[in-house]
Amino acid sequence: MRILILGGTGEASALARSLAGRPDLSVVLSLAGRTAAPKAEPVSTRVGGFGGSDGLARYLGAEGIDRLVDATHPFAATISANAARAAALTEVPLLAIRRPAWCRSTGDLWNEVDTMEQAVAALGPKSRRVFLTIGRQEAGAFAAAPQHRYLARTVEPLGDLLPVPHLTALEARGPFDADSEIALMRANGIEIVVSKNSGGAATYGKIAAARDLAIPVVMVRRPEKPDVPNVPDAEGARRWLGLCDHAAPSTLRAV
Ligand code: NAP
C-alpha cells in the first residue's frame, strides 16, 4: 500500500514514524517547505507545493498513491481543501487527522476572534506587552498596531516580517510546558497573549500559564476545513489504514 501523508505537524510525524520500516507499505511524507531544517523522518520525504488541487491529483496518479492522509495543521486550510478536491477527482480514499480544538476552562480570559485583523484590533489602542504566538506567516498583521511591545515566538527566524519599534523575537520549537511559559511571561511582563486555537498538548502550556496568571488571551478561531472522514490522532489514522495491532490492554481493568 502506498500512502501519502500531508504533514507539517506532530501528528504527521507520529504517523510516519509508526509506519516506517514496514515492508508492506511505501510511505511518503509531504512538507510545504516552510521550515529550513525540518526534523529528519524515517520515511521518504518530499518538499514543496503540488500546484493546487489539480497538481496534487496528478501527483496521486503518477505516484500510484492508494491512501491519502491529510495531517496538516488546523490553520492550513488551502492544502486541506486541495486534498479533498484531489481525492474526489482521483477517487483515492482520503482521511483527515483533525486535532480537537482547545476548550475554554474556568478561569480562562479568552476573547475569541475569527481573523488576525480582529486579533490586532482586540489588543486595543493603549500600549500593552503582548506575547505573540501565532507563527511567522501572519505576524505582519500586527504592524498595524505599532504602539504595543511584542514578544514574538516563532520556530523560524521572524526576520523583518513584523516592522514595529518594540519587538523581542524569540526562536524556539515546542513543546512548552506551563511552568516555563509562566516564567517567560513573568520575565517579560506579559499583559496579553495572542494565540491560534491550534489544539494539542505541545503548545497548551501558554494557555494554562495565562489562566494561572489571570492574563487575557486573544484566541483566533480555526478556519473551516472540508467535511471529510476524520479522526483526532495518528492512532485513529493507523486504524483507518487497517494497521492496528490488536494487542491486549496493558493495564488491568479496575473492578
Ligand atoms: P496552506 O495555506 O493550507 O497551504 C498553502 C499552500 O502550501 C498549498 O496550497 C500548497 O501548495 C502548499 N502546502 C501546504 N501544506 C503542504 C504540504 N504538507 N505538502 C506540500 N505542499 C503543501 O498552508 P499553511 O498554513 O501555509 O501551512 C503550510 C504547512 O505548515 C502545512 O503543511 C501545515 O501543516 C504546516 N503548519 C502550518 C501552521 C499554520 O499555523 N498555518 C502551523 C504549523 C504547521 P500547492 O497549492 O502548490 O500544492
Side-chain angles (χ1 to χ4, degrees):
M1 180 160 56
R2 195 149 159 76
I3 302 164
L4 176 65
I5 304 171
L6 301 173
T9 59
E11 289 87 344
S13 300
L15 180 60
R17 280 196 302 275
S18 77
L19 303 182
R22 287 184 58 139
D24 53 335
L25 304 178
S26 159
V27 180
V28 180
L29 175 64
S30 177
L31 303 174
R34 306 280 189 270
T35 308
K39 212 161 34 108
E41 302 288 359
V43 297
S44 69
T45 301
R46 65 162 302 284
V47 180
F50 297 94
S53 53
D54 291 341
L56 178 54
R58 276 193 298 277
Y59 180 94
L60 296 175
E63 293 290 323
I65 301 294
D66 300 303
R67 298 282 186 281
L68 176 59
V69 179
D70 172 13
T72 58
H73 189 269
F75 279 75
T78 306
I79 187 70
S80 293
N82 290 351
R85 183 155 182 275
L89 285 172
T90 56
E91 297 184 4
V92 171
L94 165 67
L95 178 81
I97 299 182
R98 296 273 160 77
R99 185 194 297 170
W102 294 320
C103 286
R104 192 193 296 253
S105 292
T106 309
D108 278 330
L109 305 171
W110 289 10
N111 178 3
E112 292 187 84
V113 298
D114 288 313
T115 65
M116 275 313 151
E117 289 65 34
Q118 289 172 6
V120 174
L123 295 177
K126 200 172 127 259
S127 174
R128 301 168 95 176
R129 289 183 183 271
V130 182
F131 185 21
L132 197 58
T133 63
I134 50 143
R136 64 196 285 280
Q137 287 191 83
E138 288 144 295
F142 291 82
Q147 71 275 26
H148 304 299
R149 307 180 91 84
Y150 293 96
L151 171 67
R153 184 172 65 199
T154 55
V155 174
E156 294 289 300
L158 191 56
D160 52 10
L161 286 175
L162 179 51
V164 289
H166 306 292
L167 170 67
T168 303
L170 182 63
E171 280 159 45
R173 191 191 291 266
F176 306 103
D177 63 40
D179 288 345
S180 59
E181 297 288 54
I182 287 174
L184 181 71
M185 290 188 205
R186 280 203 174 122
N188 288 276
I190 295 301
E191 296 168 293
I192 189 163
V193 177
V194 184
S195 173
K196 291 175 171 174
N197 194 333
S198 297
T203 58
Y204 187 71
K206 63 192 171 190
I207 307 304
R211 181 167 60 235
D212 245 58
L213 297 170
I215 290 173
V217 176
V218 178
M219 184 66 81
V220 183
R221 289 194 192 95
R222 296 171 168 205
E224 286 287 319
K225 288 234 184 185
D227 186 14
V228 300
N230 63 87
V231 292
D233 53 25
E235 192 53 35
R238 279 174 61 83
R239 203 166 296 124
W240 178 77
L241 290 164
L243 302 171
C244 263
D245 312 319
H246 296 286
S250 57
T251 50
L252 290 173
R253 199 164 355 132
V255 285

